Amino acid sequence: MTTPPSEKGGLHAALKYTGIPPSWLEKRPKLPSRNWLIFMSVVGSLTALYVDDRRKCKQIRNEYIEKVQHLAEVPVFHKDWTRKVTVYSCRYPEDHDHERSMKYFKKYVKPIFVAAAVDYDIINGNQYGALASKVSDDIKKKRREIAGLEKSRDQLLHELQPQTGDRSPAARRRRELGGGAVIIGRHSLKEYMEGLRRGWSESMLKRDAEEEFANTLPDDVFDDPLASTVTEAPMEGLDSTSSSSSSSPLSPPVDVVRNRSPLFGQIRQPPVRRPTPASLDVPPAMMPLQAPIGLVPFTNHIGFKQVPYMIYDFFTERYRVLSGCQAAYAIVMENKRPMTHIDSMVTPNDLDFDRQSERYIKSSWNKLPKRTETAKTDYYKELKDKVKVARELAYGEREPTRAERSNPPMTEVELRGQRLKKELKWKDDLEGWEVLSGEVVWDDKFEGALEVFVAPTHSSQEEH
């Protein structure tokens, strides 16, 4: 017994003559397969999380931009300077990208500065310890300028061409105190505080640190037994003929040799440096008031083991946007308090800033001294053979091989320069490792001279 065909509705009859295939009209929808349902639910959930997170990021950033936009509308006269802060960042431990902290600032903090018309300079340390050396050198330069041993950049420019605006040391000092120092992460704070300690505790006189370090390097690798035999004979001949050559009628007069040349005129002598009085090189007992410090939290996830944290951060970008906006807002509104180095019921210990970020530093960071020592041992093993080849070719003891003709080996002078660069790099890395592996330094000279920006209260917001 056959079942009668089901009656088709009016919609089917209406669409039958429109050219639509009948199979399309008779097809009944059904749920996708189990795999397709799993795929679409996972992709849809992740897409919803991403879109919602980025929407909240935009809302948070726009909220803080609206809070500071009124500061950009304040008129500035043509001879005045806008507020400028200095951003300090350095290389994160075990991160080969030395600009990671700077990129973090530009992404999460800079938009608020731009909205508030706050200018900034960036000082970034490319190597471990470079930021501490830069801060220390700048402070020593200021001390020499105050002592009258060196002219500032504004003074040199004013001598060449008169500059507009008040460029006196007092005005420059006011602009520095009215700006601020923005520190990106705990690692940058360690190097910044170490630079302050060195700058206000060590000698301010200029010195060639590279030359001083080169004099301390041993020359046992480059000892040449043939050097004495090669140089002694010419020196003996020179001594025996020096008296006769000096009395020769063809020898130049003494005044020509010592003072002047008949062809080129007066020979310029290098300027004689006057010794600096020891009384001027005494570090001050207390450090003068410094620019207020703005602390920006920064955690960097590196390595395969921290991939889950990276995935979590990708879908929770709003937390970093909020952290960067809050730090930037505190700096822009200039609400500050004295920096503290002990715990109290009223204020936290500022030296413990962002301590939780140290938990995510790779464990290989603690092995840097051992890696450096291994690299030095391997390098000096190869250096002996390279020096031997360089001297054999220099003294003509053998002919260069075909490979040496196509790719000439380094000379002894080049090997000495390479050795000095590597030794300097290893020394700087170890010094930077000691700074970054320890605690944030504190000196008694810092007491009362450092301030930090904090989130403004309602009363301070009404004043602005």
Side-chain angles (χ1 to χ4, degrees):
M1 183 176 180
T2 60
T3 58
S6 60
E7 297 182 359
K8 301 177 180 179
L11 180 62
H12 183 276
L15 298 178
K16 181 178 180 181
Y17 301 101
T18 59
I20 298 177
S23 60
W24 290 15
L25 301 177
E26 296 174 359
K27 189 177 179 69
R28 293 183 178 181
K30 62 178 182 179
L31 289 175
S33 65
R34 180 179 64 89
N35 294 340
W36 273 107
L37 286 175
I38 294 174
F39 173 77
M40 287 187 293
S41 60
V42 171
V43 172
S45 300
L46 295 178
T47 303
L49 287 174
Y50 175 82
V51 173
D52 180 67
D53 179 70
R54 296 308 185 269
R55 180 180 59 82
K56 291 180 179 178
C57 290
K58 189 175 181 180
Q59 290 178 352
I60 293 171
R61 187 176 287 114
N62 291 337
E63 176 186 353
Y64 279 90
I65 287 176
E66 292 177 357
K67 290 181 179 180
V68 300
Q69 271 184 340
H70 67 281
L71 299 175
E73 300 174 357
V74 178
V76 179
F77 296 100
H78 68 283
K79 289 187 178 182
D80 293 339
W81 282 271
T82 59
R83 186 186 174 197
K84 177 182 285 189
V85 298
T86 304
V87 182
Y88 295 94
S89 62
C90 66
R91 181 181 173 184
Y92 195 84
E94 291 298 290
D95 192 354
H96 297 288
D97 186 2
H98 58 268
E99 296 182 349
R100 188 87 62 181
S101 304
M102 185 173 61
K103 293 176 182 176
Y104 184 89
F105 161 78
K106 291 183 177 180
K107 185 174 183 180
Y108 299 108
V109 182
K110 175 185 172 182
I112 309 303
F113 285 174
V114 173
V118 175
D119 198 3
Y120 64 90
D121 285 333
I122 297 180
I123 298 178
N124 185 56
N126 298 339
Q127 300 295 336
Y128 301 135
L131 179 60
S133 300
K134 173 63 176 174
V135 173
S136 174
D137 293 342
D138 291 345
I139 293 175
K140 292 177 183 178
K141 185 176 185 300
K142 293 178 182 178
R143 289 171 57 190
R144 291 194 298 268
E145 294 173 0
I146 295 174
L149 303 178
E150 187 175 330
K151 293 184 179 180
S152 64
R153 180 175 176 272
D154 291 339
Q155 291 176 340
L156 295 175
L157 290 176
H158 188 74
E159 291 177 357
L160 297 176
Q161 182 178 359
Q163 304 292 319
T164 59
D166 189 0
R167 297 179 179 270
S168 62
R172 178 185 174 188
R173 175 71 175 164
R174 288 195 300 269
R175 292 195 297 269
E176 291 177 355
L177 295 179
V182 183
I183 312 296
I184 309 299
R186 181 174 178 82
H187 62 296
S188 300
L189 177 63
K190 290 181 179 180
E191 291 207 18
Y192 178 78
M193 297 294 284
E194 176 65 19
L196 287 181
R197 186 194 65 79
R198 295 179 188 174
W200 293 105
S201 301
E202 298 177 354
S203 172
M204 66 177 177
L205 300 181
K206 283 186 176 181
R207 63 186 185 91
D208 193 344
E210 182 174 334
E211 183 178 356
E212 293 177 0
F213 179 72
N215 294 331
T216 62
L217 294 177
D219 287 338
D220 51 351
V221 182
F222 295 97
D223 286 341
D224 189 1
L226 298 179
S228 58
T229 59
V230 172
T231 56
E232 282 178 0
M235 290 299 295
E236 292 176 359
L238 180 62
D239 294 339
S240 60
T241 57
S242 58
S243 59
S244 61
S245 60
S246 61
S247 60
S248 173
L250 297 179
S251 60
V254 177
D255 63 333
V256 172
V257 176
R258 294 183 178 177
N259 299 327
R260 63 180 66 253
S261 170
L263 295 179
F264 303 101
Q266 184 72 26
I267 299 177
R268 293 185 177 181
Q269 299 292 336
V272 179
R273 292 186 177 181
R274 298 180 179 178
T276 304
S279 58
L280 295 178
D281 195 26
V282 177
M286 296 299 296
M287 184 177 68
L289 185 63
Q290 300 295 304
I293 299 175
L295 302 175
V296 180
F298 171 61
T299 302
N300 191 16
H301 296 295
I302 307 172
F304 180 77
K305 294 182 179 179
Q306 299 191 30
V307 170
Y309 295 108
M310 301 178 191
I311 297 175
Y312 175 79
D313 288 345
F314 180 77
F315 291 102
T316 57
E317 185 85 358
R318 58 187 178 274
Y319 297 133
R320 290 190 298 281
V321 172
L322 179 60
S323 176
C325 289
Q326 289 176 344
Y329 182 65
I331 296 170
V332 169
M333 301 307 292
E334 301 185 72
N335 189 37
K336 51 197 175 184
R337 61 166 174 80
M339 189 175 190
T340 58
H341 63 283
I342 55 176
D343 293 316
S344 64
M345 298 296 294
V346 181
T347 57
N349 185 359
D350 294 315
L351 302 186
D352 291 336
F353 159 72
D354 206 19
R355 184 179 290 274
Q356 56 84 24
S357 64
E358 294 183 339
R359 297 184 301 165
Y360 303 101
I361 297 178
K362 295 178 65 175
S363 58
S364 58
W365 169 246
N366 298 324
K367 302 177 182 178
L368 188 141
K370 184 177 180 181
R371 294 201 309 263
T372 302
E373 190 64 29
T374 304
K376 291 177 67 174
T377 304
D378 296 341
Y379 171 73
Y380 277 102
K381 287 182 180 179
E382 298 177 356
L383 182 61
K384 293 181 180 179
D385 297 334
K386 293 180 179 180
V387 172
K388 181 180 178 182
V389 171
R391 286 175 177 169
E392 289 176 351
L393 297 178
Y395 295 154
E397 297 179 359
R398 64 174 179 86
E399 293 294 329
T401 62
R402 182 178 300 177
E404 292 173 347
R405 289 192 184 96
S406 59
N407 188 17
M410 299 178 67
T411 63
E412 186 173 347
V413 176
E414 293 173 342
L415 290 174
R416 287 178 179 271
Q418 183 192 57
R419 195 271 294 262
L420 178 59
K421 290 182 180 179
K422 286 184 175 292
E423 287 285 356
L424 285 171
K425 175 67 166 53
W426 291 326
K427 180 181 73 72
D428 294 340
D429 285 348
L430 290 177
E431 290 179 355
W433 178 84
E434 292 178 358
V435 174
L436 294 174
S437 298
E439 295 292 333
V440 180
V441 299
W442 180 267
D443 196 283
D444 294 337
K445 296 182 178 182
F446 299 167
E447 195 70 43
L450 295 177
E451 297 177 322
V452 293
F453 292 108
V454 294
T457 58
H458 293 288
S459 58
S460 60
Q461 290 181 6
E462 294 176 358
E463 293 177 1
H464 285 86

